Amino acid sequence: DQQVKQNSPSLSVQEGRISILNCDYTNSMFDYFLWYKKYPAEGPTFLISISSIKDKNEDGRFTVFLNKSAKHLSLHIVPSQPGDSAVYFCAAMLSPNAGGTSYGKLTFGQGTILTVHP
Amino acid sequence: KAGVTQTPRYLIKTRGQQVTLSCSPISGHRSVSWYQQTPGQGLQFLFEYFSETQRNKGNFPGRFSGRQFSNSRSEMNVSTLELGDSALYLCASSSLGRGRQETQYFGPGTRLLVL
């Protein structure tokens, strides 16, 4: 049972345009969401996060939007750069109301490969 | 501030052997989580430690174990290695270990190959 899903395995974008990466979740007990960027054989690098009490968070070129009613979040990268080419993972953390199963556990989507062409 | 460090970076073992991986969290971080990444299963949570106590455990067999020391450094051990244990093992640390709304910062990982 995959509770966090990234339905697009890959996305190709032209340099300077907007990249939109999507993520859906099924567990309403998730209350914190993060996006990570990853290169092969390296650890994920944190990009941006959002709490469930917000619907938008912005950091430079990165903006994350959260739609709780739809259980959907998206990461916008504007403008996209060739250096953004990597695998992007969304991850979710359970609310403490979920009990002991919330401690230190991120549930990840399967990732989306973003390619930004010059 | 130095990031999360993991040693060794690469490891080759044979079936039946055991292996110990090490993780040093960011200075001041008290919570350490471990993950396994494989092509088929993606990133899967193994366990989390805080103040030398395991607070949470993922759905992995008992061959996977870990511990945390008083300086927050952590080790994970896999006994009786199987071919399917070949993976990238990642450790992540967070500062307060509240278990809620905390960003985890990842190390570079240890690539384990079981032959």
Side-chain angles (χ1 to χ4, degrees):
Chain A
D1 173 29
Q2 198 170 349
Q3 298 185 49
V4 179
K5 298 180 184 179
Q6 294 175 254
N7 292 317
S8 298
S10 63
L11 175 68
S12 183
V13 171
Q14 206 67 30
E15 181 179 6
R17 305 296 291 267
I18 184 171
S19 295
I20 300 176
L21 298 114
N22 294 304
C23 180
D24 298 295
Y25 61 96
T26 57
N27 192 336
S28 58
M29 294 298 288
F30 288 136
D31 74 345
Y32 191 57
F33 303 89
L34 308 92
W35 284 94
Y36 288 89
K37 172 182 176 180
K38 188 180 184 302
Y39 297 110
E42 291 185 12
T45 299
F46 169 70
L47 288 173
I48 193 169
S49 62
I50 188 167
S51 164
S52 59
I53 62 173
K54 297 185 175 181
D55 55 18
K56 177 183 173 181
N57 190 26
E58 202 169 346
D59 184 0
R61 296 186 299 117
F62 302 94
T63 303
V64 56
F65 295 91
L66 176 62
N67 183 334
K68 281 181 63 179
S69 60
K71 294 191 178 66
H72 177 84
L73 64 155
S74 61
L75 174 68
H76 292 209
I77 306 174
V78 183
S80 301
Q81 300 172 353
D84 295 330
S85 298
V87 181
Y88 287 77
F89 289 94
C90 70
M93 181 171 270
L94 287 168
S95 160
N97 295 331
T101 56
S102 68
Y103 286 120
K105 178 181 178 180
L106 291 175
T107 300
F108 284 87
Q110 292 297 96
T112 297
I113 301 170
L114 173 65
T115 304
V116 181
H117 299 282
Chain B
K1 198 181 255 190
V4 178
T5 58
Q6 292 187 245
T7 56
R9 291 295 310 277
Y10 304 94
L11 208 47
I12 299 176
K13 292 285 187 180
T14 56
R15 280 184 302 172
Q17 287 187 309
Q18 75 164 14
V19 67
T20 299
L21 312 181
S22 181
C23 171
S24 291
I26 292 170
S27 178
H29 283 198
R30 301 171 64 194
S31 170
V32 174
S33 297
W34 287 89
Y35 296 85
Q36 180 197 65
Q37 185 185 25
T38 59
Q41 297 299 317
L43 280 150
Q44 301 281 313
F45 172 77
L46 281 157
F47 29 64
E48 186 261 4
Y49 286 86
F50 178 80
S51 291
E52 303 177 64
T53 300
Q54 185 184 89
R55 295 192 300 184
N56 199 1
K57 189 177 189 308
N59 189 25
F60 279 82
R63 300 184 296 107
F64 292 82
S65 63
R67 59 177 175 168
Q68 187 181 36
F69 301 94
S70 58
N71 61 358
S72 294
R73 189 177 71 84
S74 178
E75 290 181 347
M76 69 162 281
N77 183 276
V78 189
S79 62
T80 320
L81 283 165
E82 301 177 359
L83 296 179
D85 297 333
S86 294
L88 180 66
Y89 290 88
L90 294 158
C91 120
S93 72
S94 60
S95 57
L96 299 177
R98 297 173 301 183
R100 66 161 301 154
Q101 303 204 349
E102 273 196 310
T103 298
Q104 292 185 13
Y105 298 90
F106 283 81
T110 294
R111 170 70 64 182
L112 172 65
L113 177 61
V114 182
L115 301 175

